[in-house]
Coordinates of all heavy atoms in Angstrom, one line a residue:
K2 N 36.7 -131.1 89.6 CA 35.7 -132.0 90.2 C 34.6 -131.2 90.8 O 34.6 -130.9 92.0 CB 36.4 -132.8 91.3 CG 37.6 -133.6 90.7 CD 37.9 -134.7 91.6 CE 38.8 -135.8 91.0 NZ 40.0 -135.5 90.3
D5 N 28.1 -129.4 89.7 CA 27.2 -128.6 89.0 C 28.0 -128.1 87.8 O 29.0 -127.3 87.9 CB 26.8 -127.4 89.8 CG 25.8 -126.5 89.1 OD1 25.6 -126.7 87.9 OD2 25.4 -125.5 89.7
A19 N 44.3 -125.6 78.9 CA 45.8 -125.6 78.8 C 46.3 -127.0 78.7 O 47.2 -127.3 78.0 CB 46.4 -124.8 79.9
G40 N 39.8 -148.8 80.4 CA 41.1 -148.2 80.1 C 42.0 -149.2 79.4 O 41.6 -150.2 78.9
E45 N 50.2 -150.1 75.8 CA 49.2 -150.1 74.7 C 48.9 -148.7 74.3 O 48.8 -148.4 73.1 CB 47.9 -150.9 75.1 CG 46.9 -150.9 74.0 CD 47.3 -151.7 72.8 OE1 48.2 -152.6 72.9 OE2 46.6 -151.5 71.7
G47 N 50.8 -146.1 74.5 CA 52.0 -145.6 73.7 C 52.0 -146.2 72.3 O 52.2 -145.4 71.4
G51 N 51.6 -143.5 69.5 CA 52.9 -143.1 69.0 C 53.7 -142.3 70.0 O 54.8 -141.8 69.7
H60 N 53.1 -136.2 79.6 CA 51.7 -135.9 79.2 C 50.7 -136.5 80.1 O 49.7 -135.8 80.4 CB 51.5 -136.3 77.7 CG 52.2 -135.5 76.7 ND1 52.3 -134.1 76.8 CD2 52.9 -135.9 75.6 CE1 53.0 -133.7 75.7 NE2 53.4 -134.7 75.0
L64 N 47.8 -134.4 82.2 CA 46.3 -134.7 82.1 C 45.7 -135.2 83.4 O 44.6 -134.9 83.7 CB 46.2 -135.8 81.0 CG 46.4 -135.4 79.6 CD1 46.5 -136.6 78.7 CD2 45.4 -134.4 79.1
A65 N 46.5 -135.9 84.2 CA 46.1 -136.4 85.5 C 45.9 -135.2 86.5 O 44.9 -135.1 87.2 CB 47.0 -137.4 86.1
R77 N 51.8 -155.8 87.3 CA 53.0 -155.1 86.8 C 52.6 -154.1 85.7 O 53.5 -153.5 85.2 CB 53.9 -156.2 86.2 CG 54.4 -157.1 87.3 CD 55.2 -158.3 86.7 NE 56.3 -157.9 85.9 CZ 57.0 -158.7 85.2 NH1 56.8 -160.0 85.3 NH2 58.0 -158.3 84.4
I79 N 50.4 -150.6 84.4 CA 49.7 -149.3 84.8 C 48.6 -149.2 83.8 O 48.8 -149.1 82.6 CB 50.7 -148.1 84.7 CG1 51.8 -148.3 85.7 CG2 49.9 -146.8 85.0 CD1 52.9 -147.2 85.7
A85 N 37.6 -138.1 81.9 CA 37.3 -136.8 81.4 C 35.8 -136.5 81.1 O 35.5 -135.4 80.7 CB 38.1 -136.6 80.1
E99 N 26.6 -119.3 77.6 CA 26.2 -117.9 77.2 C 26.1 -117.7 75.7 O 26.2 -116.5 75.3 CB 27.2 -116.9 77.9 CG 27.1 -117.0 79.4 CD 28.0 -116.0 80.1 OE1 28.2 -114.9 79.5 OE2 28.5 -116.3 81.2
T106 N 19.2 -111.1 68.2 CA 18.3 -112.1 67.8 C 19.0 -113.5 68.0 O 19.8 -113.9 67.2 CB 18.0 -112.0 66.3 OG1 19.2 -111.9 65.6 CG2 17.2 -110.7 66.0

Side-chain angles (χ1 to χ4, degrees):
K2 300 201 169 49
D5 181 359
E45 180 68 19
H60 289 315
L64 292 169
R77 293 173 56 185
I79 296 174
E99 296 184 31
T106 56

